């Protein structure tokens, strides 16, 4: 993985955190439904960023970043549900939310830049 691609690196690191959180929720709290949804959307962010990084066209890149943006927002939704149902502590939520929100903002800034550079 190239180290100079910030969104690629951050989305990969976030996916690792999501996987570890999912494993903990599954093992210690026996929570499978919400956390599985969080796992899917949280790891999909990086997968779509990586696909966008290898896009065939600028339009394809913008589309993949748009999907990554939706997945980041969905991940925040699942994190909020897990917090409100007491599966996540405030500290766990705050830490994960901060990273997810940072990714969402980063992706949201990439999309208009890419559109303007078409």
């Amino acid at each position: 993985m190239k180290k100079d691609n910030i969104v690629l690196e951050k989305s990969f690191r976030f996916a690792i955190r999501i996987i570890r959180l999912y494993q903990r929720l599954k093992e210690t709290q026996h929570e499978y439904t919400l956390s599985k949804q969080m796992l899917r959307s949280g790891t999909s962010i990086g997968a779509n960023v990586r696909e966008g990084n290898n896009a065939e066209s600028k339009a394809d890149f913008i589309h993949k970043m748009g999907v990554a943006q939706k997945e980041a927002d969905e991940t925040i939704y699942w994190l909020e549900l897990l917090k409100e149902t007491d599966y996540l502590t405030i500290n766990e939520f705050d830490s994960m939310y901060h990273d997810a929100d940072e990714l969402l903002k980063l992706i949201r800034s990439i999309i208009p830049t890419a559109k303007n550079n078409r």
Side-chain angles (χ1 to χ4, degrees):
M1 179 180 333
K2 293 191 283 185
K3 294 289 182 188
D4 58 339
N5 189 326
I6 294 168
V7 71
L8 195 59
E9 177 68 23
K10 285 183 180 284
S11 62
F12 184 78
R13 295 287 162 226
F14 183 72
I16 292 169
R17 291 192 69 207
I18 284 289
I19 292 165
R20 289 186 177 141
L21 178 58
Y22 168 74
Q23 290 169 332
R24 189 192 65 73
L25 288 170
K26 187 176 70 165
E27 291 169 10
T28 63
Q29 301 208 24
H30 306 287
E31 199 302 305
Y32 304 99
T33 307
L34 300 175
S35 59
K36 186 70 162 194
Q37 291 292 112
M38 176 201 67
L39 175 70
R40 288 182 178 139
S41 62
T43 56
S44 182
I45 301 164
N48 280 286
V49 167
R50 179 154 305 179
E51 283 186 42
N53 197 48
N54 295 298
E56 296 175 8
S57 66
K58 188 65 82 172
D60 188 29
F61 174 80
I62 292 166
H63 173 73
K64 294 300 181 191
M65 289 299 117
V67 174
Q69 174 183 307
K70 290 177 185 179
E71 296 293 344
D73 197 38
E74 181 181 336
T75 301
I76 290 171
Y77 174 78
W78 297 119
L79 290 169
E80 289 170 345
L81 278 177
L82 286 163
K83 179 188 69 130
E84 292 299 321
T85 54
D86 299 320
Y87 285 107
L88 293 180
T89 66
I90 294 297
N91 289 339
E92 289 170 324
F93 171 78
D94 287 346
S95 177
M96 294 302 292
Y97 177 86
H98 175 269
D99 286 357
D101 190 52
E102 182 180 6
L103 263 175
L104 181 59
K105 288 176 182 174
L106 184 57
I107 293 165
R108 281 186 175 155
S109 72
I110 289 169
I111 294 169
T113 301
K115 286 179 179 178
N116 289 336
N117 291 337
R118 272 200 268 201

